[in-house]
Amino acid sequence: AQKVTQAQTEISVVEKEDVTLDCVYETRDTTYYLFWYKQPPSGELVFLIRRNSFDEQNEISGRYSWNFQKSTSSFNFTITASQVVDSAVYFCALSERGGNQFYFGTGTSLTVIP
Amino acid sequence: DAGVIQSPRHEVTEMGQEVTLRCKPISGHDYLFWYRQTMMRGLELLIYFNNNVPIDDSGMPEDRFSAKMPNASFSTLKIQPSEPRDSAVYFCASSRTVNNSPLHFGNGTRLTVT
């Protein structure tokens, strides 16, 4: 079974629209960590955010915000007023305190149309 | 900090040739990971090291693949002999811990085996 599911394979939005990227995870550990990474067309993987399982506070960083809900095992990522530079593949990832690796989702390819 | 440095950025080789990918992790990071990214399989963990010691190599596809970390600032991933199905982007990443610290990725090596 997939530990991290990103059901949206591709999303297209028009510039300035808001967009939410979904991430659903599965774990039996009570302590775990969630991450989002961005992979722009240039190919590098850029770390965006980490959340601990015991910290459900939502986080906002500029136009980016993250909604962590343990009740639904989701860690969704919203981009407000999207820009062309937001076009990238976004990966959600999970690691567990009792584990030794990261589990990556299959990624969501976001295209922002000018 | 210079970040994780990988070389070469691109490698094109013929089937049967030996390929060596190189990585310099971020100073102070005790963990080093090698990942492979393909369209079909997404991001796959190949192997990871802790303090220069290989800990989990269960992701290494076959004996043609080998990885070494002779010191804290250098690692290699070698494929010998290479095959067309090895064509992929290979990422090196480093982190302070094995699970609760984010992975910091290099820019990747795009390998094409003809």
Side-chain angles (χ1 to χ4, degrees):
Chain A
Q2 281 278 20
K3 287 258 188 188
V4 177
T5 301
Q6 294 181 257
Q8 303 151 309
T9 306
E10 295 181 0
I11 300 176
S12 290
V13 298
V14 177
E15 200 170 20
K16 296 183 184 177
E17 286 184 348
D18 298 348
V19 59
T20 295
L21 310 182
D22 298 333
C23 174
V24 174
Y25 61 91
E26 179 184 334
T27 180
R28 292 182 179 179
D29 265 4
T30 54
T31 301
Y32 52 90
Y33 310 90
L34 297 162
F35 305 81
W36 275 95
Y37 286 83
K38 175 182 180 180
Q39 187 172 38
S42 49
E44 70 273 24
L45 279 154
V46 179
F47 163 68
L48 294 178
I49 190 173
R50 181 196 78 161
R51 300 302 283 175
N52 303 322
S53 55
F54 39 85
D55 182 1
E56 281 193 77
Q57 266 196 329
N58 291 331
E59 180 143 345
I60 299 174
S61 176
R63 296 183 298 105
Y64 293 175
S65 62
W66 290 269
N67 183 354
F68 177 26
Q69 291 197 339
K70 289 176 80 168
S71 60
T72 55
S73 296
S74 65
F75 185 43
N76 296 338
F77 174 27
T78 297
I79 302 174
T80 303
S82 59
Q83 300 177 2
V84 173
V85 293
D86 297 327
S87 296
V89 180
Y90 291 87
F91 291 93
C92 181
L94 163 76
S95 67
E96 299 160 323
R97 188 179 70 172
N100 64 356
Q101 66 170 293
F102 284 71
Y103 300 95
F104 283 88
T106 50
T108 297
S109 177
L110 173 66
T111 301
V112 181
I113 304 165
Chain B
D1 199 327
V4 176
I5 299 172
Q6 289 187 248
S7 65
R9 287 298 307 273
H10 302 275
E11 177 79 37
V12 180
T13 191
E14 291 184 349
M15 183 174 64
Q17 297 297 306
E18 176 179 297
V19 175
T20 299
L21 312 181
R22 297 173 176 79
C23 175
K24 176 179 167 55
I26 293 172
S27 178
H29 283 189
D30 291 336
Y31 290 84
L32 183 140
F33 304 77
W34 282 100
Y35 281 85
R36 178 171 69 176
Q37 185 179 36
T38 60
M39 288 293 291
M40 290 292 293
R41 301 172 71 92
L43 274 163
E44 300 175 275
L45 176 64
L46 300 178
I47 185 172
Y48 82 91
F49 295 82
N50 175 213
N51 291 325
N52 315 336
V53 176
I55 301 301
D56 183 353
D57 65 354
S58 58
M60 296 286 262
E62 46 199 276
D63 292 346
R64 297 184 297 106
F65 285 68
S66 63
K68 294 182 180 179
M69 193 166 184
N71 57 63
S73 59
F74 184 65
S75 176
T76 59
L77 177 67
K78 186 176 293 186
I79 308 172
Q80 165 64 16
S82 58
E83 296 183 2
R85 60 192 167 123
D86 301 331
S87 297
V89 179
Y90 291 81
F91 286 101
C92 176
S94 70
S95 71
R96 294 188 186 280
T97 68
V98 73
N99 50 27
N100 66 356
S101 297
L103 297 176
H104 294 270
F105 286 86
N107 287 332
T109 295
R110 181 173 295 277
L111 172 66
T112 303
V113 184
T114 60

